[in-house]
Amino acid sequence: MLKKRFLQIAFLALVAIAVVSCSEKSSDFDESLLIGKWERPSPLSDEESFGYEYYRYDIGGIGVTWDTYDDVTEAEAQEFKWTLIKSDLTLTHKIETTDQYGIPKVYTVIKLTTTELVYKDDFGITYEFTKVEE
Amino acid sequence: MKKALKIAGISLASVFGIVLIVASVAVYVVFTPKRLTPIVKKVLPEIVTCESDLKKVELTFFSTFPQFGLELDDVCLINPMQGANDTLAFVDELVATLDVWAFLTENKVQLNSFYLKNVTANVFVDSCGKANYDIFPPSESVEDTSAFVNPFDLIAIDAVEIENLYATYNDLQNGVMASVGQFSCSLDAQLSAQFDGKANLQTSIQTISAKLVGENPILADISNLKLDIDAEKTVDIVDGKVILSLPDVSFKMGESVFLDKRNICLEIPLSASLDSLKVSLQKAKLALENHEIVLSGNAQYCENTDIAMNVDFATNKWVISEVLSLVPEEYASLLDGVEVDGDLLLQGNVDGIYNDSTFPKISAQLLLENGKGCYEGIPYRLRDIFADLSADVDLNKGALSSAKIKKLSAKTGTSTLQASGVVNDLLGNLHCDLQLMGDVNLPELKPLLADMNVQLQGRTKADLNARFALDDVINLNLKKICASGNIALSNLDVVYEDSMFVKSPDLSLAFSLPSKRENKLAEELIEAKISSSAIDFVMAETLSAKIEAANLDLGISNILDTTIIPTLACNFDMQHLSAEMDTIAADVEKPSGKIAFSPSSRNKKNPHLELEYSSESLAAAMGQFLDVKTKYIKMVASTTYNEKQDNAYLKWNPTFGIDFNDGVVQMASLPHKVQIPSIKFNLTPRDLYIGDSRIIIADSDFKLSGHATNIRKFINKKGDLIGTFDFVSDKTNVNQLLDLVSGFGVEEEVSSETTAEVVEKEEATKEDNPFMVPKGVDLTLNTKIKKAIFGDILAENLGGKLMVKNGVAILEQMGFTCDAANMQLTAMYRSDRKNHLFAGLDFHLLNIDIKQLIDMIPDIDTIVPMLKSFEGRAEFHLAAETYMKSNYDLKMSTLRGAAAIEGKDLVLLDSETFAKIAKPLMFNRKTRNLVDSISVEATLFRNEVDLYPFVMSMDKYSAVVGGRYDLNQNYNAHIETLSPIRLALRVSGNAANLDDMNFDLVKTKYSDMYKPEKRNALQERTLALKKLISDALKATVKESSETD
C-alpha cells in the first residue's frame, strides 16, 4: 500500500514537473513584435571587414534576409517565410532557382521585445538581434 | 608679058630709087644733126624744168632701114636738188623708129623700135618729200576726165630695148634706198585700137639692192634677176605666162637673215578676164630653192570687192631638213633640241570668198615619209615616221575646221606607234576622235621611268580609242570623254626598288569610258577588265602570291567628283590563288566574287560596301596558330555607314552570310580540330539566321540552327534581342568541348612574380571582368543530344533549353539518361551587378550510381560526406544557389541549398570513419555492409549543413543519423541505433583530422520517431520538414516522357 502511495506521489510529481516543464517551453510570444527589421553583427565579420546580418519580418508571414558584410543590400535580400507558434520560430528559406521554399530553419524564441530578439536552435546556438528603428 | 613685067620692074626700081634719093637728101641734107640738135635743145627747157642737155639729135634711115629713126645721144638731166647726185638721169643713146607711112596713111602707131643704152638715173626724195624727178612743168590744160579713147587703129611696138640701166632711189622721207644695176629689157608688142594684141617682155637685172631704214632696217639684194612676160589679149581675155627667176636673193630684217643668196623662181601661166576681173592659173609654180608650190585655179575680183577664188596648190617633195635650213637663224633657236627630217608633200585647195569678213576654205593634205626626229626633252629618237594628214580649215565665224589623221606612225628602238583619227573644230574647242596603236618593248620605257628604280622586261601591244573635246580634257570633265582600249602585256617581268617582283606571261587590260556595264548601285564612269593566265608577285620576303587564270572586271564612277562618294565595283574570278605573308599562307581554288563600294541608296553621303566571295576550296594557315581548310565556301557581306548612329554596329549596319562545306579548323590553342561539314548563316542588321550547320569537334558532332531577331532594337535599347536556336547532336563529348574553351583567351606567361602577386593580380583581373549576362536579350538554345559524354558518364537523349533572358542565363530542365542515371538539370546565372552575381542549379539524378554521382559532382561529398561510404544506386535531388562577388568568390551569407538522396539495397563500405563509428555502436565490421534503404534530406544555409535524421538499416542493425556540420567540416552529428540495442553516439570535431574528432555515447533521442503512435511533436516536425524538403526538391522533376 505504501509502495502504491509512493508510486502515485511520484507519478504526480513527475506530471507536475512535466507540466511545469512544458509550460516553460510553450511560452507564447507576440508575433506582431517580430514585424520589422532586425540586425546583428554579421558572423562573417572579421578584422578587415564588418557588416550586419539583417532579417526583416513582414506581415503575412514573409520576410527577407541579407548581410551587408557580403555587399548585399535590402533590395537584393533573399526571401523566406516565417511562422511563430508560441516560441517556435520557423523560417523557411526560398530557393529561387526552383521557386520553392525548401530550406527550413527552426528556432526557439527566448526573448522577443520591441527592441530585442533572441532565439536559439536545436544545436544550442543563440542568435541575438536588435530591432532597427525605421 | 615679059615686057609688061619688065616695065613694071623698071617702074618700081625707079620709084625705090627716087625714095632712096629723097630719103638721103632728107637725112643728110635737110635733117642733119647740126640742124636738129639746136632745135631739140631749144625745146628741152619747155619739157623739163631742170637743167638738161644732149649731145646730138640725129635722124636715121639707113641704120634703121627701112624705117626712119630718131637718135639722141648723151641726154642728160641735171639734178635740180641739193644733197643728191648731180645727175638726175643720163642716157647714152636713145633710138626710136616709127613707121611714118602707117602713121600717115593708116592711122597706126607702129613703133618699130625703141632703144635705150647706158642709162643712169638717180632718184632722190628729200626729207620733206620733195622729189628730184618732179621736173615737168605744171600743165596749163584743163584735166581731161573723159574716158580714154585710143586714137589709133593700131599701136605696134616691135622692139623696145633698154640696155645697161643703172638707177638709184634715195627717199629720205621714207628711209628707202634702192639701186638697180645693169637693167636690160626688151619688149615686143602689138596692140589694136581695142588694145587687143600680143606683148613679150624680157627683162634682166644684174643687181637690185634695197634698204628700208628704220628701227629694224630691211635689206634686200637680188642678183641676176630675169623676168619673162608673154601675154596676148583678145577682146577681154588676157593669156600669158610670167617667168621670174631670182637665183640669188638675200633678205634681211634687222639682224634676222630671212634669205641668204636663195634661189626663187616663179613660173606663172595665167589667163585673165578683164571684164570679169577673173584670173586663172594653170600650174603656176613658185619655188624657193628646190621647194616648189604649184598653183592651179582661178580668182575673181567682184564688184562688191569680194575676191572669189578656187585654187589648188601642191608642193613637190620637200626635205624637212632643207626646209628647216631656210628658217632664219634667229628663229632657228626655236628648234633647238629638235632634230627632224623627212620627205614632205603638201597639196590642197583654197575655195571661197575673201573679203574683209570672209575667208575662203582651205583644204590641205600632208604626206610625210621617211621621217625621223628627236627632241632633247623626250628620250627617244623616232624613225620611219609616216604621216598622212588632211585638214579642212574654215576661218569664217561659226564655221568648223577639221583635221584627219589617216595614218601617223613611227618607230623607236624596237617599238612602233601608230595613230589615226579626226580632229573637229580645229580652231576652237578641239573635238578629237583618235585611235592609237602601239607595240612597245617595255625595256625601252626605262628612260621614262628614270626617277624610279624599276627594271622592265616584256612587250605590250596597245589599241586605244578616244573621243573627246579638248576643253573636257583640260577640265577633266570625264563624263564627256569617250575612251576605250586594250593593252596586252606579254612576258612581263618587273622589278621595282629591288624589292617588288611581278612576273606574268600575259596580262591584258581593257577599259572603256564611259562604262558599258550595268551597275544597279550607281552610274559607272570607267570600266576596266584585267586578265592574266598567271601572275607571280613577290614583295621583299614579306609577301608572295601566285595567281592563275585571273579575271578582274572593274567599274569606277567619276572619282574626280568630290561632291559624291565614288562607286567602285569589281568582279573577280581566278583559277587558283596562293599567297604567303610572313607566317600566313593561303591557297584557294577558283576564288570568285564581287566587291562593290558605292553611296548608300538612302543617303548618298554615306558609303555602302558589298562583298561576295566563293571558292571551290580554301586552305589558310597562320603559322602553328591557325590552320583552316574548306571545300566550297561562299560569303556575302555588306555594310552601310550611318553617321547619325553612335554604336559601331548601327553605324555600319553589317550583313553577312556564309555557306561552306567540309571545313576543318585547327588552332594551336585548341586540343582538337574543328570539322565543319557544312554551315550556313545569314546576319542582317535586324536578324541572324543559322541553318543547316553541322560541326564535328573530336568525338562531338552537332548541328546548330536558329534565328535571332530584333538586333537593331536591342542595340538601340528599344527592344529585346529575341532568338531561338537548336543544338542537335548525335554525340557530344562535353569534356572535349570544355577543353576547347578552358583557359580560352588567357595567355600563359612566364613571370618572375611571386605566387602572392600572381594571385592578387588574377583576383584583380577577375574583379574587373565577371561575365555579365546581357540585358534586353531573350535567347533560347534548345538542345537535343542523343549521346553526351561528361566525365566518364555517357548521357543519352539529353534535351533541354539554355535561355538568356532579361539578364538571366538559364539552363532549363536539361534532361538526359546515362548509365549512371536519368538526369535533369536546371541552372541559372544572373549578373545583377558586377559584385553581385547569382548562380543556382536544380539537379536531379534518378537512379544514379552513387560512385558515379560523386565522380560527376565531387562537391556533393562536402554536402553529404557520408555518401562516399555507400555503394549502389540512388535518387539524388539537389537545389543550390548563391550570390558571388565579382571575382566569383561565394558570398557565404547568401548560400542556400537542399539535397535529398533516396536509395535502396546499398552497400556501406568499410572505412576508417566507419570503423570509428562502428566500434562504440558495436557494429559488425564487414567489407561490404548491405543497407536496405536510406532517405536523406539535408539543407544548406549560409555555410551550415543540416542533415535531417534518416534511418539506415544494415544487417541486423538499424540506425538513425542526423546532425549539423559546416563547410569547414566541423561536425556535430548524432548517430543512434534503433536495433538490436539502443545506443546513441555524438560525433563532433573537425573531420579534417579524424583523430581529433570526438565520438561520445550520448542519450538517445530518435527512439520513437519511426513509431507513429509514439512520436513527439519535435519528431513530427522533423519528419514534416524532411517531407517539405523532399517535396520542394522533387517539385521540379519532369517525367521521363517530358525529358524526351
Side-chain angles (χ1 to χ4, degrees), chain B residues 534-589:
Chain B
I535 299 174
D536 283 4
F537 178 81
V538 176
M539 181 182 284
E541 301 178 357
T542 58
L543 173 65
S544 66
K546 289 179 182 288
I547 302 172
E548 295 176 10
N551 293 291
L552 265 69
D553 191 350
L554 197 66
I556 306 171
S557 68
N558 187 0
I559 55 176
L560 300 178
D561 185 353
T562 56
T563 61
I564 59 171
I565 293 173
T567 296
L568 168 68
C570 177
N571 297 334
F572 62 91
D573 68 81
M574 303 168 198
Q575 188 68 29
H576 182 250
L577 166 67
S578 62
E580 289 184 20
M581 186 173 75
D582 295 332
T583 60
I584 301 172
D587 191 281
V588 188
E589 287 291 339

Coordinates of all heavy atoms in Angstrom, one line a residue, chain B residues 534-589:
Chain B
A534 N 48.6 33.9 -115.7 CA 49.4 33.7 -114.5 C 50.1 34.9 -114.0 O 50.6 35.7 -114.9 CB 50.4 32.6 -114.7
I535 N 50.1 35.2 -112.7 CA 50.8 36.3 -112.2 C 51.6 35.8 -111.0 O 51.0 35.1 -110.1 CB 49.9 37.4 -111.8 CG1 49.1 38.0 -113.0 CG2 50.7 38.6 -111.1 CD1 48.0 39.0 -112.6
D536 N 52.9 36.1 -110.9 CA 53.7 35.9 -109.7 C 54.1 37.2 -109.1 O 54.5 38.1 -109.9 CB 55.0 35.1 -110.1 CG 54.7 33.7 -110.4 OD1 53.5 33.3 -110.3 OD2 55.7 32.9 -110.6
F537 N 53.8 37.3 -107.9 CA 54.1 38.6 -107.2 C 54.9 38.3 -105.9 O 54.5 37.5 -105.1 CB 52.8 39.3 -106.8 CG 52.9 40.6 -106.1 CD1 53.2 41.7 -106.8 CD2 52.8 40.6 -104.7 CE1 53.4 42.9 -106.1 CE2 53.0 41.8 -104.0 CZ 53.3 43.0 -104.7
V538 N 56.0 39.0 -105.8 CA 56.8 38.9 -104.6 C 57.2 40.2 -104.0 O 57.6 41.1 -104.8 CB 58.1 38.1 -104.9 CG1 59.0 38.0 -103.6 CG2 57.8 36.7 -105.4
M539 N 57.0 40.4 -102.8 CA 57.4 41.7 -102.1 C 58.4 41.4 -101.0 O 58.0 41.0 -99.9 CB 56.2 42.4 -101.6 CG 56.6 43.8 -101.0 SD 55.1 44.6 -100.4 CE 54.4 45.2 -101.8
A540 N 59.6 41.6 -101.3 CA 60.7 41.6 -100.3 C 60.5 40.7 -99.1 O 60.4 41.1 -98.0 CB 61.0 43.0 -99.9
E541 N 60.4 39.4 -99.3 CA 60.4 38.4 -98.2 C 59.2 38.6 -97.3 O 59.2 37.9 -96.2 CB 61.7 38.5 -97.4 CG 63.0 38.3 -98.2 CD 64.2 38.4 -97.4 OE1 64.1 38.7 -96.2 OE2 65.3 38.1 -97.9
T542 N 58.3 39.4 -97.6 CA 57.2 39.6 -96.7 C 55.9 39.0 -97.4 O 55.0 38.5 -96.7 CB 56.9 41.1 -96.4 OG1 56.7 41.8 -97.6 CG2 58.1 41.6 -95.7
L543 N 55.8 39.1 -98.7 CA 54.6 38.7 -99.3 C 54.9 38.1 -100.7 O 55.7 38.6 -101.4 CB 53.6 39.9 -99.5 CG 52.4 39.7 -100.3 CD1 51.5 38.7 -99.6 CD2 51.7 41.0 -100.6
S544 N 54.3 37.0 -100.9 CA 54.4 36.4 -102.2 C 53.1 35.8 -102.6 O 52.3 35.3 -101.8 CB 55.5 35.3 -102.3 OG 55.1 34.2 -101.5
A545 N 52.8 35.9 -103.9 CA 51.5 35.4 -104.3 C 51.6 34.9 -105.7 O 52.4 35.4 -106.6 CB 50.5 36.6 -104.3
K546 N 50.8 33.8 -106.0 CA 50.7 33.3 -107.3 C 49.3 33.2 -107.7 O 48.4 32.7 -107.0 CB 51.3 31.8 -107.4 CG 52.8 31.8 -107.3 CD 53.3 30.3 -107.3 CE 54.8 30.2 -107.1 NZ 55.5 30.7 -108.3
I547 N 49.0 33.7 -108.9 CA 47.6 33.8 -109.3 C 47.5 33.1 -110.7 O 48.4 33.4 -111.6 CB 47.1 35.2 -109.4 CG1 47.2 35.9 -108.1 CG2 45.6 35.2 -109.9 CD1 46.9 37.4 -108.1
E548 N 46.6 32.2 -110.9 CA 46.4 31.6 -112.2 C 45.0 31.9 -112.8 O 44.0 31.9 -112.1 CB 46.5 30.1 -112.0 CG 47.9 29.6 -111.6 CD 47.9 28.1 -111.4 OE1 46.9 27.4 -111.7 OE2 48.9 27.6 -110.8
A549 N 45.0 32.2 -114.1 CA 43.8 32.5 -114.8 C 42.9 33.5 -114.1 O 41.8 33.2 -113.6 CB 43.1 31.2 -115.1
A550 N 43.4 34.7 -113.9 CA 42.7 35.7 -113.2 C 42.0 36.6 -114.1 O 42.5 37.0 -115.2 CB 43.7 36.5 -112.3
N551 N 40.8 37.0 -113.7 CA 40.0 38.0 -114.5 C 39.4 38.9 -113.5 O 38.7 38.5 -112.5 CB 38.8 37.3 -115.2 CG 39.3 36.4 -116.3 OD1 39.9 36.9 -117.3 ND2 39.2 35.1 -116.1
L552 N 39.6 40.2 -113.7 CA 39.0 41.3 -112.9 C 38.2 42.2 -113.8 O 38.7 42.6 -114.8 CB 40.1 42.1 -112.2 CG 40.5 41.7 -110.8 CD1 41.3 40.4 -110.8 CD2 41.4 42.8 -110.2
D553 N 37.0 42.4 -113.4 CA 36.1 43.3 -114.1 C 35.7 44.4 -113.2 O 35.0 44.3 -112.2 CB 34.8 42.5 -114.5 CG 34.0 43.3 -115.5 OD1 34.3 44.5 -115.8 OD2 33.1 42.7 -116.1
L554 N 36.3 45.6 -113.6 CA 36.2 46.7 -112.6 C 35.4 47.9 -113.2 O 35.5 48.2 -114.4 CB 37.7 47.2 -112.4 CG 38.0 48.1 -111.3 CD1 37.8 47.4 -110.0 CD2 39.5 48.6 -111.4
G555 N 34.6 48.5 -112.4 CA 33.8 49.6 -112.8 C 33.9 50.7 -111.7 O 33.8 50.5 -110.5
I556 N 34.3 51.9 -112.2 CA 34.5 53.0 -111.3 C 33.7 54.2 -111.7 O 33.6 54.5 -112.9 CB 36.0 53.4 -111.3 CG1 36.9 52.2 -111.0 CG2 36.3 54.5 -110.3 CD1 38.4 52.5 -111.2
S557 N 33.1 54.9 -110.8 CA 32.4 56.2 -111.1 C 33.4 57.3 -111.2 O 34.6 57.1 -111.2 CB 31.4 56.5 -110.0 OG 32.0 56.8 -108.8
N558 N 32.9 58.5 -111.4 CA 33.7 59.7 -111.5 C 34.4 60.0 -110.2 O 33.8 60.6 -109.3 CB 32.9 60.8 -112.0 CG 33.8 62.0 -112.4 OD1 35.0 62.0 -112.2 ND2 33.2 63.1 -112.8
I559 N 35.7 59.5 -110.1 CA 36.4 59.7 -108.8 C 36.8 61.2 -108.6 O 37.2 61.6 -107.5 CB 37.6 58.8 -108.7 CG1 38.5 59.0 -109.9 CG2 37.2 57.4 -108.7 CD1 39.8 58.3 -109.9
L560 N 36.7 62.0 -109.7 CA 37.1 63.4 -109.5 C 36.0 64.2 -109.0 O 36.2 65.4 -108.6 CB 37.5 63.9 -110.9 CG 38.7 63.2 -111.5 CD1 39.1 63.8 -112.9 CD2 39.9 63.3 -110.6
D561 N 34.8 63.7 -109.0 CA 33.6 64.4 -108.4 C 33.6 64.2 -106.9 O 33.2 63.2 -106.4 CB 32.3 63.9 -109.1 CG 31.1 64.7 -108.6 OD1 31.3 65.6 -107.8 OD2 30.0 64.5 -109.1
T562 N 34.1 65.3 -106.2 CA 34.3 65.1 -104.8 C 33.0 65.4 -104.1 O 32.9 65.4 -102.8 CB 35.4 66.1 -104.3 OG1 35.0 67.4 -104.7 CG2 36.7 65.7 -104.9
T563 N 31.9 65.7 -104.8 CA 30.6 66.0 -104.1 C 29.9 64.8 -103.8 O 29.0 64.8 -102.9 CB 29.8 66.9 -105.0 OG1 29.5 66.2 -106.2 CG2 30.5 68.2 -105.4
I564 N 30.2 63.7 -104.4 CA 29.6 62.4 -104.0 C 30.6 61.3 -103.8 O 31.7 61.4 -104.2 CB 28.6 62.0 -105.1 CG1 29.3 61.7 -106.4 CG2 27.5 62.9 -105.3 CD1 28.5 61.1 -107.5
I565 N 30.2 60.3 -103.1 CA 31.1 59.2 -102.8 C 31.2 58.4 -104.1 O 30.2 58.1 -104.8 CB 30.5 58.3 -101.7 CG1 30.5 59.1 -100.4 CG2 31.2 57.0 -101.5 CD1 29.7 58.4 -99.3
P566 N 32.5 58.1 -104.4 CA 32.7 57.3 -105.7 C 32.1 55.9 -105.6 O 32.0 55.4 -104.5 CB 34.2 57.4 -105.9 CG 34.7 57.5 -104.5 CD 33.7 58.4 -103.8
T567 N 31.9 55.4 -106.8 CA 31.4 54.0 -106.8 C 32.5 53.1 -107.4 O 33.1 53.5 -108.4 CB 30.2 53.9 -107.7 OG1 29.1 54.6 -107.2 CG2 29.7 52.4 -107.9
L568 N 32.8 52.0 -106.8 CA 33.8 51.0 -107.3 C 33.1 49.7 -107.2 O 32.7 49.2 -106.2 CB 35.0 51.1 -106.4 CG 36.0 50.0 -106.6 CD1 36.7 50.1 -108.0 CD2 37.1 50.0 -105.5
A569 N 33.1 49.0 -108.3 CA 32.6 47.6 -108.4 C 33.6 46.7 -109.1 O 34.1 47.1 -110.1 CB 31.3 47.6 -109.1
C570 N 33.9 45.6 -108.5 CA 34.9 44.7 -109.0 C 34.5 43.3 -109.0 O 34.2 42.8 -107.9 CB 36.3 44.9 -108.3 SG 37.5 43.8 -108.9
N571 N 34.3 42.7 -110.1 CA 34.0 41.2 -110.2 C 35.4 40.5 -110.4 O 36.1 41.0 -111.3 CB 33.1 40.9 -111.3 CG 31.7 41.5 -111.0 OD1 31.3 41.8 -109.9 ND2 31.0 41.8 -112.1
F572 N 35.6 39.5 -109.7 CA 36.9 38.8 -109.9 C 36.6 37.3 -109.9 O 35.7 36.8 -109.3 CB 37.9 39.1 -108.8 CG 37.4 38.7 -107.4 CD1 37.8 37.5 -106.9 CD2 36.7 39.6 -106.7 CE1 37.4 37.1 -105.6 CE2 36.3 39.2 -105.4 CZ 36.6 38.0 -104.9
D573 N 37.4 36.6 -110.7 CA 37.5 35.2 -110.6 C 38.9 34.7 -111.0 O 39.5 35.3 -111.8 CB 36.4 34.5 -111.5 CG 36.7 34.8 -113.0 OD1 37.5 34.0 -113.6 OD2 36.1 35.7 -113.6
M574 N 39.3 33.6 -110.4 CA 40.6 33.1 -110.7 C 40.6 31.6 -110.7 O 39.6 31.0 -110.1 CB 41.6 33.6 -109.6 CG 41.7 35.1 -109.4 SD 42.6 35.5 -107.9 CE 42.1 37.2 -107.7
Q575 N 41.5 31.0 -111.3 CA 41.6 29.5 -111.3 C 42.2 29.1 -110.0 O 41.8 28.1 -109.4 CB 42.3 29.0 -112.5 CG 42.3 27.5 -112.7 CD 41.0 27.0 -113.0 OE1 40.2 27.7 -113.7 NE2 40.6 25.8 -112.6
H576 N 43.2 29.8 -109.6 CA 43.9 29.4 -108.4 C 44.7 30.6 -107.8 O 45.2 31.5 -108.5 CB 44.9 28.3 -108.7 CG 45.7 27.8 -107.6 ND1 47.0 28.1 -107.4 CD2 45.3 27.1 -106.5 CE1 47.4 27.5 -106.2 NE2 46.4 26.9 -105.7
L577 N 44.7 30.7 -106.5 CA 45.4 31.8 -105.8 C 46.1 31.2 -104.6 O 45.6 30.5 -103.8 CB 44.4 32.8 -105.3 CG 45.0 33.9 -104.3 CD1 46.0 34.7 -105.0 CD2 43.9 34.7 -103.7
S578 N 47.4 31.5 -104.6 CA 48.2 31.1 -103.4 C 49.0 32.3 -102.9 O 49.5 33.0 -103.8 CB 49.1 29.9 -103.7 OG 50.0 30.2 -104.7
A579 N 49.1 32.5 -101.7 CA 49.8 33.6 -101.2 C 50.4 33.3 -99.8 O 49.9 32.5 -99.0 CB 48.9 34.8 -101.0
E580 N 51.6 33.9 -99.5 CA 52.2 33.8 -98.3 C 52.7 35.2 -97.8 O 53.2 36.0 -98.5 CB 53.4 32.9 -98.4 CG 53.1 31.4 -98.6 CD 54.3 30.6 -98.6 OE1 55.4 31.0 -98.1 OE2 54.3 29.5 -99.2
M581 N 52.4 35.4 -96.5 CA 52.9 36.6 -95.9 C 53.4 36.3 -94.5 O 52.6 35.9 -93.7 CB 51.8 37.7 -95.9 CG 52.3 39.1 -95.4 SD 51.1 40.4 -95.6 CE 50.1 40.0 -94.2
D582 N 54.6 36.4 -94.3 CA 55.2 36.0 -93.0 C 54.8 34.6 -92.8 O 55.0 33.7 -93.5 CB 54.8 37.0 -91.9 CG 55.4 38.4 -92.1 OD1 56.4 38.5 -92.7 OD2 54.8 39.3 -91.7
T583 N 54.1 34.4 -91.6 CA 53.7 33.0 -91.3 C 52.3 32.7 -91.8 O 51.8 31.6 -91.6 CB 53.7 32.8 -89.8 OG1 52.8 33.8 -89.2 CG2 55.1 33.0 -89.2
I584 N 51.7 33.7 -92.5 CA 50.4 33.4 -93.0 C 50.4 32.9 -94.5 O 51.1 33.4 -95.3 CB 49.6 34.8 -93.0 CG1 49.5 35.3 -91.6 CG2 48.2 34.6 -93.6 CD1 48.9 36.7 -91.5
A585 N 49.7 31.9 -94.7 CA 49.7 31.3 -96.1 C 48.2 31.0 -96.4 O 47.4 30.6 -95.6 CB 50.5 30.0 -96.1
A586 N 47.9 31.1 -97.7 CA 46.6 30.8 -98.2 C 46.7 30.2 -99.5 O 47.5 30.5 -100.4 CB 45.7 32.1 -98.2
D587 N 45.8 29.2 -99.8 CA 45.8 28.5 -101.1 C 44.3 28.3 -101.4 O 43.5 27.7 -100.7 CB 46.5 27.2 -101.0 CG 46.7 26.6 -102.4 OD1 45.7 26.0 -102.9 OD2 47.8 26.7 -102.9
V588 N 43.9 29.0 -102.5 CA 42.4 29.0 -102.9 C 42.2 28.5 -104.3 O 43.0 28.9 -105.2 CB 41.9 30.4 -102.8 CG1 40.4 30.4 -102.9 CG2 42.3 31.1 -101.4
E589 N 41.3 27.6 -104.5 CA 40.9 27.1 -105.8 C 39.7 27.8 -106.3 O 38.7 27.9 -105.6 CB 40.6 25.6 -105.7 CG 41.8 24.7 -105.6 CD 42.8 24.7 -106.8 OE1 42.3 25.1 -107.9 OE2 43.9 24.4 -106.6

